[in-house]
Amino acid sequence: MAERCAVIAVCGHEAGYGRPLERLLGPGVSVVPSGRELFRSISAHRRRGEETAVVPMTLGRDPGLVADTARTLRALAGGDRAATVLTEPFGTAQHLVGWLRAAAGRVPEDSALLVTATSGDPFEDAELYRIAALVRRYGRHALVEVAFTGGDPDPAEGVRRCRLLGAQRVTLLPAGFAPPEVPEPAGPAGPAVDRAGPLVSASALRRVLAERVADARRRLRESGDDGIAAGLSAAENHGHSHTHPPGGGHDHDHGHGHHHHGGPGHPHPHQHPSADGAGQVIRSIA
């Protein structure tokens, strides 16, 4: 591919359809929702003579975003499609476990954790419960609950459940790109509620994005694979077909993508090789 390559970050509900990322990814990245806006963005870049690399901004809970993006790219005209590559998703559920564990490590041990994300479909919401269970199993916080912005339970209900379970302090742990809103205190008897920082720092966001683009362009150059065929099967397989790092071992866990070095029972940050970028991100936000 030519040197001039525009980057397009495609956003679904995990990224608030782009709003939380518009000022974080830098001026050289176009942030769009999937569908028509993606199609228009590619066309605009092509008119300027730029090739495009499209990054699905999912953290592993929205495989449908990858498949929808791939369908849009498949529908491009021949010249536009030849100049476009679909990268691997920004993150996988396995990455999300590691990022959440790193963030939880900065929260006082006596605080309950309320893992919070925007609501998706029932399968995506169930996946967040699985992820939160791993955060609790391999962390040091006794109480880890789940809440959904725009879903059930919402953050206010999540805080109430933590209070009923004896929590005097609750920390909202964002499991998406958009920071959750802290609910209003439930009276003087309610627990103190605060919010952990962003799941991934702005500098780490930009670094991982660049790595996804570099990997996809290298794959296209070396094997002619534009990533679209693999992306089309993402929703069917509950994860992108290329989510394991180069050279890394993997196995299948009931259709939820690939898990490295022994599966979801050992989601330690050091298990993500630097070639995939996740290990660097976890170190950068730890």
Side-chain angles (χ1 to χ4, degrees):
M1 294 179 72
E3 289 302 317
R4 293 183 62 193
C5 182
V7 177
I8 303 175
V10 183
C11 302
H13 66 81
E14 288 176 291
Y17 299 98
R19 290 183 298 274
L21 293 177
E22 287 174 351
R23 290 179 297 209
L24 296 177
L25 296 181
V29 178
S30 300
V31 180
V32 300
S34 186
R36 289 184 179 179
E37 290 301 315
L38 170 59
F39 196 91
R40 290 169 181 164
S41 181
I42 292 172
S43 297
H45 285 296
R46 291 296 299 137
R47 285 194 296 271
R48 294 193 291 268
E50 297 172 331
E51 295 175 338
T52 52
V54 180
V55 187
M57 297 302 291
T58 174
L59 293 166
R61 291 180 54 237
D62 189 5
L65 176 67
V66 183
D68 288 345
T69 300
R71 283 192 286 269
T72 299
L73 301 189
R74 183 178 60 177
L76 293 171
D80 288 355
R81 176 168 174 176
T84 301
V85 63
L86 177 62
T87 79
E88 294 182 5
F90 179 89
T92 66
Q94 190 76 349
H95 295 140
L96 182 54
V97 171
W99 285 323
L100 285 169
R101 290 187 59 206
R106 299 190 296 273
V107 176
E109 192 171 348
D110 62 351
S111 176
L113 298 179
L114 187 60
V115 178
T116 308
T118 55
S119 181
D121 66 31
F123 294 99
E124 294 166 12
D125 290 355
E127 177 73 349
L128 189 62
Y129 280 99
R130 185 188 75 89
I131 288 167
L134 292 174
V135 172
R136 179 183 182 277
R137 174 66 180 82
Y138 295 101
R140 56 191 178 90
H141 295 83
L143 182 57
V144 179
E145 291 288 309
V146 170
F148 300 96
T149 301
D152 181 29
D154 63 14
E157 174 63 17
V159 169
R160 189 185 75 84
R161 291 185 182 188
C162 290
R163 178 180 63 82
L164 292 175
L165 292 169
Q168 298 299 311
R169 180 177 180 181
V170 180
T171 300
L172 274 64
L173 205 60
F177 296 105
E181 291 187 8
V182 177
E184 293 292 327
V193 181
D194 55 17
R195 182 176 63 200
L199 180 68
V200 183
S201 70
S203 61
L205 279 169
R206 291 191 290 268
R207 183 165 59 251
V208 172
L209 198 72
E211 290 174 350
R212 295 292 178 265
V213 171
D215 288 345
R217 298 187 77 199
R218 182 170 56 250
R219 185 182 69 232
L220 179 61
R221 183 174 61 250
E222 294 176 353
S223 66
D225 180 7
D226 62 8
I228 295 174
L232 290 170
S233 66
E236 175 185 347
N237 297 329
H238 289 244
H240 198 287
S241 299
H242 288 287
T243 53
H244 52 278
H250 62 273
D251 56 64
H252 294 276
D253 177 36
H254 306 293
H256 288 291
H258 298 303
H259 299 285
H260 322 308
H261 304 283
H266 299 83
H268 303 295
H270 69 267
Q271 292 181 344
H272 300 286
S274 59
D276 186 69
Q280 294 181 22
V281 173
I282 293 171
R283 284 193 295 274
S284 71
I285 66 175

